[in-house]
mmCIF file of all heavy atoms in Angstrom:
data_model
loop_
_atom_site.group_PDB
_atom_site.id
_atom_site.type_symbol
_atom_site.label_atom_id
_atom_site.label_comp_id
_atom_site.label_asym_id
_atom_site.label_seq_id
_atom_site.Cartn_x
_atom_site.Cartn_y
_atom_site.Cartn_z
ATOM 1 N N LYS A 156 75.453 31.204 87.830
ATOM 2 C CA LYS A 156 76.682 31.405 87.061
ATOM 3 C C LYS A 156 76.361 31.693 85.599
ATOM 4 O O LYS A 156 77.152 32.298 84.891
ATOM 5 C CB LYS A 156 77.570 30.172 87.162
ATOM 6 C CG LYS A 156 78.116 29.905 88.553
ATOM 7 C CD LYS A 156 78.928 28.625 88.587
ATOM 8 C CE LYS A 156 79.414 28.308 90.000
ATOM 9 N NZ LYS A 156 80.167 27.026 90.062
ATOM 10 N N GLN A 157 75.191 31.244 85.150
ATOM 11 C CA GLN A 157 74.825 31.414 83.750
ATOM 12 C C GLN A 157 74.053 32.703 83.487
ATOM 13 O O GLN A 157 73.942 33.134 82.338
ATOM 14 C CB GLN A 157 73.990 30.212 83.297
ATOM 15 C CG GLN A 157 74.728 28.893 83.389
ATOM 16 C CD GLN A 157 73.848 27.709 83.021
ATOM 17 O OE1 GLN A 157 72.703 27.873 82.611
ATOM 18 N NE2 GLN A 157 74.382 26.515 83.159
ATOM 19 N N GLY A 158 73.494 33.309 84.542
ATOM 20 C CA GLY A 158 72.731 34.536 84.318
ATOM 21 C C GLY A 158 72.458 35.267 85.604
ATOM 22 O O GLY A 158 72.584 34.723 86.694
ATOM 23 N N TYR A 159 72.079 36.534 85.485
ATOM 24 C CA TYR A 159 71.745 37.362 86.647
ATOM 25 C C TYR A 159 70.296 37.129 87.070
ATOM 26 O O TYR A 159 69.977 37.113 88.245
ATOM 27 C CB TYR A 159 71.909 38.849 86.328
ATOM 28 C CG TYR A 159 73.199 39.190 85.634
ATOM 29 C CD1 TYR A 159 73.210 39.952 84.473
ATOM 30 C CD2 TYR A 159 74.414 38.759 86.155
ATOM 31 C CE1 TYR A 159 74.393 40.271 83.838
ATOM 32 C CE2 TYR A 159 75.605 39.073 85.518
ATOM 33 C CZ TYR A 159 75.578 39.831 84.360
ATOM 34 O OH TYR A 159 76.740 40.136 83.732
ATOM 35 N N LEU A 160 69.413 36.984 86.086
ATOM 36 C CA LEU A 160 67.991 36.802 86.352
ATOM 37 C C LEU A 160 67.684 35.317 86.308
ATOM 38 O O LEU A 160 67.814 34.678 85.258
ATOM 39 C CB LEU A 160 67.156 37.556 85.321
ATOM 40 C CG LEU A 160 67.435 39.063 85.227
ATOM 41 C CD1 LEU A 160 66.597 39.690 84.131
ATOM 42 C CD2 LEU A 160 67.184 39.744 86.556
ATOM 43 N N VAL A 161 67.277 34.773 87.445
ATOM 44 C CA VAL A 161 67.113 33.327 87.581
ATOM 45 C C VAL A 161 65.690 33.024 88.056
ATOM 46 O O VAL A 161 65.122 33.767 88.856
ATOM 47 C CB VAL A 161 68.136 32.752 88.582
ATOM 48 C CG1 VAL A 161 67.937 31.257 88.785
ATOM 49 C CG2 VAL A 161 69.556 33.039 88.110
ATOM 50 N N GLY A 162 65.123 31.949 87.563
ATOM 51 C CA GLY A 162 63.819 31.486 88.012
ATOM 52 C C GLY A 162 63.808 29.978 88.137
ATOM 53 O O GLY A 162 64.458 29.279 87.372
ATOM 54 N N ARG A 163 63.083 29.480 89.118
ATOM 55 C CA ARG A 163 62.983 28.041 89.317
ATOM 56 C C ARG A 163 61.720 27.540 88.635
ATOM 57 O O ARG A 163 60.628 28.013 88.900
ATOM 58 C CB ARG A 163 62.960 27.705 90.809
ATOM 59 C CG ARG A 163 64.237 28.051 91.523
ATOM 60 C CD ARG A 163 64.069 28.200 93.019
ATOM 61 N NE ARG A 163 63.604 26.965 93.655
ATOM 62 C CZ ARG A 163 62.458 26.857 94.310
ATOM 63 N NH1 ARG A 163 61.645 27.894 94.410
ATOM 64 N NH2 ARG A 163 62.118 25.723 94.875
ATOM 65 N N VAL A 164 61.882 26.573 87.752
ATOM 66 C CA VAL A 164 60.753 26.000 87.025
ATOM 67 C C VAL A 164 60.435 24.638 87.623
ATOM 68 O O VAL A 164 61.283 23.738 87.625
ATOM 69 C CB VAL A 164 61.061 25.865 85.523
ATOM 70 C CG1 VAL A 164 59.856 25.317 84.775
ATOM 71 C CG2 VAL A 164 61.484 27.205 84.943
ATOM 72 N N GLY A 165 59.226 24.482 88.158
ATOM 73 C CA GLY A 165 58.847 23.234 88.801
ATOM 74 C C GLY A 165 57.730 22.524 88.067
ATOM 75 O O GLY A 165 57.227 22.994 87.046
ATOM 76 N N ARG A 166 57.328 21.366 88.610
ATOM 77 C CA ARG A 166 56.238 20.584 88.046
ATOM 78 C C ARG A 166 55.170 20.369 89.110
ATOM 79 O O ARG A 166 55.466 19.911 90.214
ATOM 80 C CB ARG A 166 56.736 19.222 87.551
ATOM 81 C CG ARG A 166 57.720 19.257 86.400
ATOM 82 C CD ARG A 166 57.091 19.788 85.128
ATOM 83 N NE ARG A 166 55.941 19.027 84.687
ATOM 84 C CZ ARG A 166 56.004 17.961 83.888
ATOM 85 N NH1 ARG A 166 57.180 17.532 83.459
ATOM 86 N NH2 ARG A 166 54.910 17.345 83.510
ATOM 87 N N THR A 167 53.940 20.699 88.782
ATOM 88 C CA THR A 167 52.825 20.445 89.689
ATOM 89 C C THR A 167 52.297 19.031 89.519
ATOM 90 O O THR A 167 51.922 18.367 90.482
ATOM 91 C CB THR A 167 51.677 21.435 89.415
ATOM 92 O OG1 THR A 167 52.190 22.763 89.470
ATOM 93 C CG2 THR A 167 50.570 21.289 90.447
ATOM 94 N N PHE A 168 52.318 18.557 88.277
ATOM 95 C CA PHE A 168 51.737 17.248 87.961
ATOM 96 C C PHE A 168 52.862 16.298 87.566
ATOM 97 O O PHE A 168 53.405 16.399 86.464
ATOM 98 C CB PHE A 168 50.723 17.387 86.829
ATOM 99 C CG PHE A 168 49.846 18.601 86.993
ATOM 100 C CD1 PHE A 168 50.037 19.726 86.195
ATOM 101 C CD2 PHE A 168 48.866 18.640 87.965
ATOM 102 C CE1 PHE A 168 49.244 20.838 86.345
ATOM 103 C CE2 PHE A 168 48.069 19.760 88.130
ATOM 104 C CZ PHE A 168 48.260 20.864 87.322
ATOM 105 N N GLN A 169 53.217 15.409 88.466
ATOM 106 C CA GLN A 169 54.332 14.494 88.243
ATOM 107 C C GLN A 169 53.792 13.108 87.930
ATOM 108 O O GLN A 169 52.797 12.658 88.516
ATOM 109 C CB GLN A 169 55.224 14.409 89.490
ATOM 110 C CG GLN A 169 55.891 15.720 89.854
ATOM 111 C CD GLN A 169 57.112 16.020 89.004
ATOM 112 O OE1 GLN A 169 57.428 15.258 88.105
ATOM 113 N NE2 GLN A 169 57.789 17.110 89.304
ATOM 114 N N GLN A 170 54.485 12.437 87.001
ATOM 115 C CA GLN A 170 54.139 11.048 86.723
ATOM 116 C C GLN A 170 54.575 10.182 87.898
ATOM 117 O O GLN A 170 55.653 10.373 88.468
ATOM 118 C CB GLN A 170 54.832 10.576 85.440
ATOM 119 C CG GLN A 170 54.540 9.128 85.085
ATOM 120 C CD GLN A 170 55.375 8.657 83.900
ATOM 121 O OE1 GLN A 170 56.198 9.411 83.388
ATOM 122 N NE2 GLN A 170 55.173 7.422 83.503
ATOM 123 N N GLN A 171 53.731 9.240 88.279
ATOM 124 C CA GLN A 171 54.070 8.342 89.372
ATOM 125 C C GLN A 171 55.235 7.451 88.956
ATOM 126 O O GLN A 171 55.209 6.807 87.915
ATOM 127 C CB GLN A 171 52.858 7.469 89.734
ATOM 128 C CG GLN A 171 51.703 8.253 90.328
ATOM 129 C CD GLN A 171 52.075 8.900 91.647
ATOM 130 O OE1 GLN A 171 52.794 8.325 92.452
ATOM 131 N NE2 GLN A 171 51.597 10.119 91.864
#
Side-chain angles (χ1 to χ4, degrees):
K156 294 177 183 178
Q157 299 176 5
Y159 313 130
L160 303 177
V161 177
R163 295 159 61 242
V164 182
R166 295 294 302 272
T167 306
F168 318 106
Q169 297 281 3
Q170 179 187 3
Q171 293 297 322

